[in-house]
Amino acid sequence: MKGFDTCIVVDWSASSKLSPKKPSKDAIWIGLARGGRDIDAVYCRGRVEAEDRIRSLISAEKTAGRRVLVGFDFPFGYPSGFSKRVTGSDDPFDLWDWIAAQITDTELNENNRFQVAERINSKFDSSGPLWGKTRADRWPGVPYKKQGIVFDDLSEKRICDRLANAASSCFQLCFNPTVGSQILMGLPMLSRLRRLADVAVWPLEDWRKATVVLAEVWPGLIEPAVKQIESMASARVIRDEVQVRALARALSALPASELDRMLEDHPVEAREEAWILGAGHAARLSELASADPEVPPLRNDCFALPPGVHWTPVAGALDHLRRNLTAVTPVRCVPVAEAAGRIAAGAVLAVRANPPLPNTAVDGYGFAGGLPEGLHRLPLATGRAAAGDAPGVLAPGHAMRVLTGAALPAGVDTVVLQEDVRITDGHVVLHGPVKAGANTRKAGEDVKAGAQVLAGGQRIGPAEAALLAATGTREVQVHDPLRVAVLSTGAELVEAGETAAEGQIFDANRPMLLELIRRCEHKGVDMGRVRDDRSELRVRLDEASRRADVILTSGGASAGDEDHVSALLEETGTMQLWRIAVKPGRPLALGMWNGVPVFGLPGNPVAAMVCALIFARPALTVMAGGRWSGPQGFMVPAAFSKKKKPGRTEYLRARIRDGAAEAFASEGSGRISGLSWAEGLVELPPGAATITPGVQVRYLPFSGFGL
């Protein structure tokens, strides 16, 4: 049985008002994770917006060929016997459809759930099981309090609620937890989602072959993990967001076989009452939710293309890598002074404002308020304000000497340049008008306290280091540098400087790739070169997997007799040979060796360089903890002629001269001199094209790749 590629967890809301624009608690949060790592968390102000987002996520995942588990934090069913009393049928889906037909909901979250609760209660002989409302004087068919409600022929809780020790009841509409209202507002949405193509509901129907499976979840199962995450957070967090992220991460980190066993673990009553996924397995889910989210292992199938793909367009290959790769480097806290060059593991907020206090932008004289036209004389106070001085106090109607960068004394909000005044008889004499606030900087006009100054995945350069220091950050969570092993394969290779026998060539790929890795601020691990010997290559790959986070090989990446990289990856069961519609290049052998990702590049140096820049460089950045980024390019006129056939994206070695792109005279993949001659690449799209001088082409400078 195929496991789930993506896990989505939704924290639903029954509110009658839209949530604030700014992300907050008690709203709708959607968490998404793959392979034990957070991918996204989406904040929705209302149910209509949330249902649209969920539909879009499901559609996008299906289009990408991924199987999805979508969990919702409200019961999918009621205690046994409830559905029959309401609809006359034991089928829980009949109840879903009945409630969907009764409930009205608007884009402003206005709804009629209490009227519907009255209709449900009217079907019972007593006051009915649903209780709790926002106003005691409305909806007489719904008791305000629970007192007097007798659960004799109907259980107050389902079997799974008792097993999971859930405090809430399906029948409580108000007074937290309002699970009863969540059900009434959630089942209509589930009823509509269930009708989408290839969607099944666990465990109410056969879900085993469905691409999208809807399941009931309960964040209370991972409460210990949620508390741990909250206690370790360096800044204030929103509990609802923490819960959906942590539970989605835990479910996605479960091995497929273990999750399958969890999905099978329920009694026959679950076919009517529904079931909480993970009930009885709280300790295991909490363990996975507590695991360090920054260092999850890559799954063996992270390189697997959708079935039937034979020739992959460049854009498709890049999109697949972007969606499936995650950071593989450990995270640690370091002083800001040691953070330069590292990648931030999470958002960093300003500890204090910049500037922290109002200050003067010039040397001059400060006073309160603006001045109208005419001549003005202000008494000059003794002393002065200089940068670093604690702000003093200025008497009303006076002026004070202030120097650039000085915190403004209380009573000063305007500064006039020293060149524009005259000092005489202990007074400052100047001509108006002077605009209030002139020549001053407001506190926090650059950065306000609590504002985000650094995003997760952002590399800390000189400017970022300055900003962190200026806003009071002492330490920052960063990823360790990515360790990239580089290994050349081929019996024909000899080390540069050695004597090459007839038929041998010098290894150009390894020094080229190691320098590329250094320029990208990763840590290169030189694994040397290995002959076309499978046992020797296996030993070298074992060593590389112990010393590095990622392995780059060159040569042996196709499907020939001497392509041992591909053959060994086949043995691990992780081999994915990507035939990419690219020139130069085409074959990329991708797989895992002892849990470490392997990028098998072509052996030809030009193809190896192009594939490393286009595919490996952004992938390595993501695995280092950074954000995916394509090369920066711009359109320029061509200074060459070329007729291109349709089918492949082509990269020409190029450089800019006199504002136009020149192309290297030969497109031969063995012409290494063209790499040194070039200053970038011209990218030609996969369609047919006739390039003549003056036609606009896309130029990618090597500097855009970080070189």
Side-chain angles (χ1 to χ4, degrees), residues 514-577:
L514 286 168
E515 177 60 15
L516 186 153
I517 290 162
R518 186 190 70 80
R519 296 277 191 99
C520 292
E521 300 191 69
H522 307 309
K523 183 178 179 181
V525 180
D526 188 353
M527 296 304 302
R529 65 189 191 282
V530 63
R531 298 173 301 142
D532 292 322
D533 182 284
R534 197 162 300 185
S535 60
E536 185 178 339
L537 178 57
R538 181 182 288 108
V539 171
R540 200 70 60 89
L541 287 173
D542 285 343
E543 183 184 357
S545 68
R546 291 190 295 268
R547 296 177 57 187
D549 306 303
V550 187
I551 302 171
L552 293 187
T553 68
S554 61
S558 192
D561 294 342
E562 298 298 331
D563 289 318
H564 299 295
V565 172
S566 302
L568 286 178
L569 291 178
E570 286 278 8
E571 291 182 11
T572 69
T574 66
M575 166 66 177
Q576 299 293 330
L577 185 62

Side-chain angles (χ1 to χ4, degrees), residues 26 177 188 199 247 264 269 328 399 403 431 533 553 559 577 628 647 663 695:
D26 300 327
V199 173
L247 187 51
E264 298 287 355
E269 289 85 353
V328 297
L403 302 180
H431 288 275
D533 182 284
T553 68
L577 185 62
W628 181 277
V695 170

Side-chain angles (χ1 to χ4, degrees), residues 122-478:
S122 70
K123 295 177 177 290
F124 290 80
D125 297 334
S126 60
S127 59
L130 296 174
W131 65 272
K133 51 189 176 181
T134 54
R135 291 181 54 176
D137 61 342
R138 294 191 63 186
W139 310 294
V142 178
Y144 185 60
K145 297 288 186 179
K146 180 182 175 183
Q147 286 82 355
I149 298 178
V150 179
F151 293 96
D152 47 8
D153 59 346
L154 187 70
S155 174
E156 183 178 8
K157 291 187 177 182
R158 302 173 300 163
I159 296 174
C160 63
D161 296 329
R162 295 194 293 269
L163 175 64
N165 198 27
S168 55
S169 164
C170 299
F171 302 118
Q172 181 178 335
L173 302 175
C174 272
F175 319 116
N176 283 332
T178 59
V179 174
S181 284
Q182 282 184 290
I183 301 172
L184 290 179
M185 301 312 302
L187 291 184
M189 175 264 301
L190 293 182
S191 179
R192 292 185 288 270
L193 292 182
R194 176 175 171 258
R195 285 171 166 75
L196 297 176
D198 207 12
V199 173
V201 180
W202 173 89
L204 304 181
E205 58 187 337
D206 188 0
W207 52 272
R208 293 168 183 80
K209 294 183 179 180
T211 300
V212 179
V213 176
L214 311 181
E216 175 187 338
V217 297
W218 183 46
L221 292 176
I222 60 164
E223 180 65 13
V226 172
K227 287 183 176 178
Q228 177 183 333
I229 295 169
E230 288 178 320
S231 68
M232 295 177 63
S234 58
R236 189 175 181 181
V237 295
I238 298 173
R239 185 179 181 84
D240 297 340
E241 180 183 6
V242 170
Q243 289 183 152
V244 298
R245 283 184 178 276
L247 187 51
R249 184 168 65 245
L251 291 171
S252 70
L254 280 167
S257 58
E258 188 175 355
L259 181 54
D260 284 344
R261 289 194 298 271
M262 205 174 285
L263 287 163
E264 298 287 355
D265 185 17
H266 56 77
V268 66
E269 289 85 353
R271 295 300 296 267
E272 179 184 350
E273 291 191 345
W275 199 257
I276 297 171
L277 177 58
H281 304 271
R284 175 59 169 152
L285 288 174
S286 198
E287 172 196 355
L288 292 171
S290 302
D292 186 353
E294 303 301 336
V295 199
L298 285 176
R299 295 197 301 183
N300 284 346
D301 61 354
C302 64
F303 296 127
L305 291 169
V309 173
H310 300 293
W311 284 97
T312 305
V314 168
L318 292 173
D319 184 61
H320 187 89
L321 291 172
R322 179 183 60 80
R323 286 186 284 101
N324 285 277
L325 294 179
T326 58
V328 297
T329 48
V331 173
R332 67 187 71 252
C333 191
V334 301
V336 166
E338 300 174 13
R342 305 284 281 274
I343 295 174
V348 180
L349 307 182
V351 177
R352 73 169 187 171
N354 184 50
L357 296 170
N359 65 85
T360 174
V362 298
D363 291 340
Y365 294 85
F367 46 86
L371 296 173
E373 289 189 16
L375 188 67
H376 302 275
R377 288 172 57 89
L378 302 175
L380 180 61
T382 57
R384 68 175 192 175
D389 291 346
V393 179
L394 178 65
H398 286 62
M400 175 182 280
R401 175 69 166 156
V402 294
L403 302 180
T404 302
L408 296 179
V412 175
D413 62 11
T414 304
V415 175
V416 65
L417 275 72
Q418 62 186 18
E419 295 89 347
D420 294 338
V421 306
R422 180 165 51 89
I423 307 300
T424 179
D425 298 329
H427 286 73
V428 175
V429 181
L430 69 154
H431 288 275
V434 178
K435 185 178 179 181
N439 300 311
T440 63
R441 307 183 185 101
K442 296 179 181 179
E445 72 174 20
D446 178 27
V447 179
K448 290 181 170 57
Q452 180 174 305
V453 294
L454 200 67
Q458 187 173 354
R459 193 174 290 278
I460 302 171
E464 290 75 23
L467 184 58
L468 290 171
T471 52
T473 302
R474 299 178 61 182
E475 295 181 323
V476 61
Q477 295 278 338
V478 296

Side-chain angles (χ1 to χ4, degrees), residues 40-103:
D40 201 3
V42 179
Y43 172 76
C44 299
R45 298 182 62 199
R47 287 179 294 276
V48 173
E49 175 192 354
E51 184 174 341
D52 287 343
R53 294 300 295 269
I54 294 166
R55 285 173 175 266
S56 296
L57 285 171
I58 289 174
S59 176
E61 294 298 301
K62 289 170 66 177
T63 300
R66 290 192 284 262
R67 191 171 186 230
V68 192
L69 176 67
V70 189
F72 297 85
D73 73 332
F74 57 83
F76 281 21
Y78 287 85
S80 179
F82 178 84
S83 177
K84 191 159 190 175
R85 293 292 297 269
V86 176
T87 68
S89 167
D90 289 327
D91 188 340
F93 293 132
D94 289 341
L95 181 63
W96 286 24
D97 295 342
W98 186 90
I99 293 175
Q102 303 294 316
I103 286 288

